[in-house]
Amino acid sequence: MSVLAKAGAWSLCAAARAAIPCLWKGKYFSSGKEPGENNPVTPMLRHLMYKIKSTGPITVAEYMKEVLTNPAKGYYVYRDMLGEEGDFITSPEISQIFGEVFSQLGSVLKNCDISIHLVEVSQKLSEIQALTLTEEKVPLERSAGSPVYMKGVTKSGIPVSWYRDLQDVPKGYSFYLAHEFFDVLPVHKFQKTPQGWREVFIDIDPQVSDKLRFVLAPCATPAEAFIQHNETRDHVEVCPDAGVIIQELSQRIALTGGAALVADYGHDGTKTDTFRGFCGHKLHDVLIAPGTADLTADVDFSFLRRMAQGRVASLGPIKQQTFLKNMGIDVRLKVLLGKSTEPSLRQQLLVGYDMLMNPKKMGERFNFFALLPHQRLHGRNPQKNAHQSKPSPSPVAGFSELVWQ
């Protein structure tokens, strides 16, 4: 099994900045209403200002990559960002039920030779993962310069390895889980203007010392190639890195079987400006104090579907509320409540369930998307129903309504 963890393998498609033979002038807009005195000068801000002064304005994608994964100052590399004391919390931390509804996967794989492969660039998160999975009862093997930078054995005896790049994960029949992975991959932002699409860059604000601002490129840029010709929105975000990863997953699944499940904040090609920051569980201006806050942008699942290029079948996106209901979360909650005698634990279960399922919370903001072989949906020798012109698709857990037999 391969797991794409919260911080991702940006090195798969580290698009180089092309030299743009244009003068930087014209439209610009501020990052927000924060006055200069409320903008602390962080080490990352100093690094970015030096970079911009040396080479010119940078893309939002380059900004995200530097802020999140710079080897020396990156947010994900060393910062402790999870939990109540951190900047965000993910579904597995909200409630045990989230993980337990996926226990069906264990029954599918019980007779298989299983190993776990984690793609993780964050030193902090890899340490947390190692402690959770192994409790380090067996000492971890560490090799900083190797593609496999850490190895261990889980509490149940399953080998587990850590990588920084999906390309280094061994190929073979695999189930890939990407939970809050794609939303932190760098995005290029574009604004429609009377002159056509113009990419949003980040520059130093000439009016305020030690402050960054957004500016529009004066001419076309290479990443514009990722925008659909029939695009009707006036502002779009594109993520080439996500396309490369989806293509790699699609190729692997088509050749060796398995499946991929993506769980993330996102939309199906309808939203516009979703780039935002989080610090202390609150929204944070993305250009203020870079390196101290998480940066994220909603996943465009319509783009992921296009990037699969028909090699595999895709399902979704569907809302988390629907997916977890199809996976039997209501039944699992009933079982846990029936076994619990402590009022505090029962309340904890109900609060966690509400956070996961409430449409106003995570129920409709979080989405699930899957890639799987075409034959998984229709079988190798599909039998047609006498009243149907097409074979009935096989049910897929989470994407089909739960039926008890």
Side-chain angles (χ1 to χ4, degrees), residues 44-113:
M44 176 56 68
L45 178 59
R46 291 195 194 96
H47 166 72
L48 290 167
M49 293 184 73
Y50 177 81
K51 184 181 183 74
I52 293 170
K53 288 176 181 178
S54 301
T55 63
I58 60 176
T59 65
V60 172
E62 190 170 356
Y63 178 80
M64 288 183 70
K65 183 177 179 181
E66 285 288 336
V67 171
L68 296 179
T69 60
N70 180 284
K73 307 175 181 68
Y75 173 83
Y76 276 125
V77 178
Y78 298 109
R79 191 174 176 87
D80 190 2
M81 72 292 291
L82 277 176
E84 293 184 6
E85 301 300 320
D87 298 318
F88 59 83
I89 190 168
T90 61
S91 298
E93 288 86 47
I94 290 174
S95 175
Q96 69 184 79
I97 311 176
F98 184 86
E100 290 181 8
V101 296
F102 292 96
S103 60
Q104 300 173 48
L105 186 59
S107 62
V108 174
L109 301 175
K110 64 181 179 182
N111 296 322
C112 299
D113 183 17

Side-chain angles (χ1 to χ4, degrees), residues 131-154:
L131 184 62
T132 303
L133 289 170
T134 70
E135 291 185 348
E136 296 202 28
K137 291 181 178 178
V138 178
L140 292 166
E141 299 178 31
R142 301 172 189 269
S143 179
S146 170
V148 185
Y149 67 86
M150 194 161 65
K151 286 184 179 180
V153 179
T154 70

Side-chain angles (χ1 to χ4, degrees), residues 4-24:
L4 309 182
K6 173 70 181 180
W10 286 275
S11 55
L12 292 179
C13 181
R17 282 182 58 222
I20 304 171
C22 301
L23 295 175
W24 284 90

Side-chain angles (χ1 to χ4, degrees), residues 330-344:
D330 293 329
V331 177
R332 186 58 188 159
L333 175 66
K334 186 176 181 179
V335 170
L336 291 172
L337 289 174
K339 292 182 177 179
S340 176
T341 57
E342 297 183 18
S344 60

Side-chain angles (χ1 to χ4, degrees), residues 251-262:
Q251 185 178 43
R252 288 179 177 226
I253 293 168
L255 290 174
T256 61
L261 181 65
V262 178

